Amino acid sequence: MRPRYFTKRYEAPERVASAARHHAWLAQHAQPLRLPTLTVVGPTSLTYEWIDGRPARPEDLPALAALLGDAHGAAWTTDLRPASLNTPHRFRDGIAFGDYIGPRQTALRRRLEQGYLPDRGALHAMLSLLEQTAQGPTAFYKDSNPRNFLITEAGDVYTVDTDDLTLAPMGYDLAKLIATLILTHGHLPAPAIDSALRAYNEAAERHALRLAATDRERLDDFLTLHAVLNAPYAGRNGYRYSWPPQSCPRGSA
C-alpha cells in the first residue's frame, strides 16, 4: 500500500516555520505525545504522514488526561523547569516561545470588543483571574481540543496541529480539553471531570511531586477562562453546545 500524506497550507512562510518549530520541540520535550511524522516543509505548507483515526470523545477523557499529565511533566523536566509563565521562553534558535499572560490578555480584551464580555468590569475580573492563575510549575499549551487528538482503531493516540504553542500552568491544557468536549458533546458529569483531574495529577507527579498541584478549584478557574476565550467559536468546528456553567462547578451532578 502506498503511503498516504496530509498537507496543511498556510498564508505566510512565518506560520509554516512556527508550526514546524513547535512540532520539533514537542517531539523532543513532550515525548509521551505521539506526533505524525513531518515529511516535507514547503514554503507555504507542511506535509505529514496520514493518520486514520477519530477525534476524541468524552469516554477518552481519563486516558487523554493521563497522557497530558505525562507530557507536561516530561516537558517540565527536560526544558520548562526554569521557565516563567509571564516571560516568553526561547527555542534553541532564539525564537520566542509565547508566554502565558500576554497572549491571553490580548485575547480577553478582544472578547470585550467582540461583545463576549458585557463590560469593562467583567474584563477586569477575567484579567485578574488570569493573573491569579499564573503561578506554579510551567507546562505548555497546544490547544488540546477533541479534533487535535486522533485515535486509531488499535487505540493509538496521535496529537495533531502544532500551530499554537505557548507556556501555560499545569492543568490549563487539560481544562481546554474538558471545555471543548463540553462544547462538542454537551454536559460532562462532575465525577468524570474529577476522575480526569486525578489521572492528570497522578501522571504529572511521576515526574516530580510538585507537578501534581492542580486542584478542582484551580481547574474551575481555567474552565472559566476557556469559556470566555472560546466563546467566538460556538457553532463552529463542531462546537454545537453553548457553555453550561452548571457542568463545571465542584459538587455538581
Side-chain angles (χ1 to χ4, degrees):
M1 180 182 296
R2 293 181 59 187
R4 298 169 64 194
Y5 301 96
F6 168 74
T7 298
K8 183 169 186 178
R9 303 195 180 281
Y10 297 83
E11 293 182 359
E14 294 80 8
R15 293 286 289 166
V16 174
S18 177
R21 184 183 299 110
H22 296 168
H23 184 280
W25 186 89
L26 289 167
Q28 179 179 1
H29 296 292
Q31 290 188 8
L33 299 183
R34 179 176 290 184
L35 305 172
T37 301
L38 177 57
T39 60
V40 179
V41 178
T44 57
S45 67
L46 296 174
T47 299
Y48 300 89
E49 66 171 320
W50 178 271
I51 303 298
D52 277 316
R54 61 166 177 82
R57 298 192 291 241
E59 60 266 30
D60 303 311
L61 179 56
L64 294 179
L67 177 63
L68 283 173
D70 193 13
H72 290 163
W76 182 85
T77 301
T78 61
D79 191 39
L80 296 181
R81 188 189 306 244
S84 171
L85 287 165
N86 58 10
T87 304
H89 194 47
R90 297 283 170 182
F91 293 101
R92 187 171 295 176
D93 62 4
I95 300 296
F97 186 140
D99 68 296
Y100 173 62
I101 292 286
R104 289 163 184 84
Q105 286 177 331
T106 299
L108 288 170
R109 292 188 178 102
R110 180 145 178 75
R111 296 300 176 266
L112 176 64
E113 296 169 1
Q114 294 168 322
Y116 296 109
L117 287 170
D119 51 41
R120 297 199 68 82
L123 171 62
H124 177 73
M126 294 304 298
L127 291 173
S128 296
L129 182 61
L130 177 67
E131 297 224 4
Q132 291 167 21
T133 60
Q135 55 183 299
T138 300
F140 63 86
Y141 166 82
K142 74 153 302 295
D143 186 13
S144 289
N145 69 64
R147 301 181 312 280
N148 286 343
F149 294 100
L150 293 178
I151 302 174
T152 69
E153 286 189 4
D156 296 325
V157 178
Y158 284 83
T159 303
V160 300
D161 189 350
T162 60
D163 289 359
D164 298 309
L165 194 66
T166 69
L167 301 176
M170 298 291 295
Y172 182 82
D173 214 0
L174 172 63
K176 175 59 180 279
L177 176 59
I178 292 169
T180 50
L181 281 171
I182 291 172
L183 291 172
T184 304
H185 296 279
H187 175 77
L188 278 177
I193 297 175
D194 292 339
S195 177
L197 181 57
R198 283 194 300 273
Y200 177 87
N201 280 328
E202 288 171 2
E205 75 175 351
R206 286 196 287 270
H207 296 270
L209 289 177
R210 62 178 296 205
L211 300 185
T214 307
D215 59 17
R216 186 58 199 271
E217 182 176 3
R218 186 164 169 81
L219 184 71
D220 286 346
D221 288 342
F222 293 146
L223 288 169
T224 298
L225 288 167
H226 283 302
V228 176
L229 292 169
N230 287 280
Y233 309 116
R236 299 164 49 193
N237 302 324
Y239 295 159
R240 298 177 295 145
Y241 293 84
S242 59
W243 182 257
Q246 68 271 18
S247 295
C248 297
R250 298 177 299 284
S252 63

